[in-house]
Each structure stands twice: as structure tokens, then as C-alpha cells.
Amino acid sequence: MLRIFRKAAPDDLPDEALLRQYRQSGDQHLLAALFSRHVPLVYGIGLKYFKDQQQAEDVCMAVYELLVNKVLEHDIQHFVGWLHALARNHCLMHLRKAAVQREENTPPELMQSADQRHHTLEWPEEEAQLKALRSCLSGLPPAQQQCIEEFYLSGYSYKEIAQSRQETVGRVRSYIQNGRRNLRICMEKLIHRA
């Protein structure tokens, strides 16, 4: 695993004390000492999501780079829990970005040719409903839209979404319930108008 973070942290200081000292002094050695205590946690999170040792090490380096500024921006009460959420969010964002890039790089042989009939032409009602759904989804408040997409399209749980957004599970549940209600109302208006 990463040798760069194998420096011994002062055992007599709790995480919060090291964090406080780093915030006051800006001494990178203090942050490295603090992070070294928890490298196995971050490495394990990287392995869980990427199933690759090299990518897990890359996660450790990226999370450390994020820490340098993030710990100054946030009021951290429990460092280990906050670090876990930060590492997890980093992995999820990286995976989402990779998924979007895969979608954008569709090989030409998989593209539909102009002379083939598109399957949605056979089901105009479903196509209209999809368009209406996309329109209604884009009209939701950003928090509701993101939570709906992550829950229904990406398959994340309430807890996973809450951790990635750094909000409570109850708040995420509220976003999803309100988003569903707003989608239903919008869809009903569009269907009655048609």
C-alpha cells in the first residue's frame, strides 16, 4: 500500500486535536500524520468501488489532495465519519463521470443507421410519455431532480444518496417523495393537455 502515508502519527493526540493543529498552523506533516491513521479505510473504500489496487491507491492520493483544502472549509465533528463520506463521494463521482464518458463514446457500429426504422416509432404513446417525463424531471428543483435520478435511475439507496449529498436520510426521503409528487402532477397536466 502507499508508503508515503506510513509516517507515525503522534499517538497521544486524538484525530480532532491533530485536525485543529493543522487548521491553525497549515503544517502538511500534521495532516499527513492524521491521514496516515486512516489510509487503510480510504484504501478499502477505493477497493470496494474499483476492485483494483492501483485505482484504490489513486483514490488515497486524490482524497488526501482534497483534504488539504476541505478540512479548512468544513466544521468537522467526527473526522473518521467525515473522511469516509468524502472518500465514498469521490469514488461515486469518479464512477458517474466514467459512466457518462462511456455513453458519449458509443462505437459507430452500434449506432443506428438511417435506413433502419427506430423502435420508438412503433410506440408513439410511450415516446410521448418519455418526453413528458424528461420535461417534468428537468423542471424539478435541483435537489429533487438529483435525488430522483440517483434513486430511480442509478439505483442508490436513501443512505447512499444522503452520504453523497452530506444530508440526512430524512431529507433525502423528503426530496424523493416531493419529487415524485411533483412529477405526477406535472405528468397529469401534460397528459390532460394532450
Side-chain angles (χ1 to χ4, degrees):
M1 201 167 33
L2 298 169
R3 290 189 186 124
I4 189 170
F5 293 114
R6 292 233 172 147
K7 297 177 181 176
D11 291 330
D12 57 334
L13 292 176
D15 290 350
E16 287 68 27
L18 275 174
L19 185 59
R20 193 170 36 256
Q21 286 183 7
Y22 169 70
R23 285 181 169 166
Q24 292 169 351
S25 68
D27 183 358
Q28 291 279 330
H29 292 95
L30 293 170
L31 186 63
L34 175 61
F35 187 66
S36 70
R37 293 177 177 179
H38 306 291
V39 167
L41 169 73
V42 176
Y43 183 77
I45 292 169
L47 272 179
K48 175 184 173 186
Y49 285 99
F50 296 108
K51 314 278 190 270
D52 178 74
Q53 292 179 352
Q54 183 59 50
Q55 283 188 300
E57 289 185 10
D58 291 346
V59 167
C60 291
M61 295 302 295
V63 167
Y64 180 76
E65 290 174 9
L66 289 172
L67 277 180
V68 172
N69 293 319
K70 294 264 186 197
V71 295
L72 300 175
E73 298 168 0
H74 297 276
D75 180 29
I76 303 165
Q77 300 300 320
H78 182 64
F79 182 74
V80 175
W82 182 84
L83 179 63
H84 183 275
L86 180 70
R88 190 175 172 286
N89 291 346
H90 172 77
C91 291
L92 290 173
M93 287 175 41
H94 186 77
L95 288 170
R96 287 181 193 138
K97 186 188 253 185
V100 168
Q101 287 175 346
R102 275 197 307 273
E103 289 174 7
E104 290 175 356
N105 296 326
T106 306
E109 61 270 10
L110 296 179
M111 300 296 284
Q112 180 178 353
S113 69
D115 62 339
Q116 290 179 337
R117 195 163 171 219
H118 195 278
H119 72 279
T120 55
L121 295 176
E122 297 171 16
W123 301 292
E125 185 177 316
E126 285 84 358
E127 181 66 23
Q129 287 178 348
L130 271 175
K131 284 182 180 176
L133 181 60
R134 284 188 199 112
S135 173
C136 289
L137 188 59
S138 67
L140 290 176
Q144 290 179 9
Q145 180 181 353
Q146 182 183 10
C147 289
I148 291 277
E149 288 174 349
E150 288 181 356
F151 185 75
Y152 288 104
L153 302 179
S154 301
Y156 295 114
S157 69
Y158 286 164
K159 185 177 179 182
E160 290 172 325
I161 297 168
Q163 288 176 340
S164 73
R165 295 180 57 81
Q166 296 181 346
E167 295 195 48
T168 65
V169 172
R171 190 79 178 137
V172 168
R173 184 178 291 120
S174 176
Y175 286 143
I176 291 172
Q177 288 173 347
N178 291 336
R180 277 195 321 231
R181 184 187 67 245
N182 290 338
L183 279 175
R184 186 182 67 247
I185 292 168
C186 178
M187 291 288 290
E188 286 172 358
K189 284 180 184 176
L190 290 176
I191 289 170
H192 291 298
R193 200 184 307 161

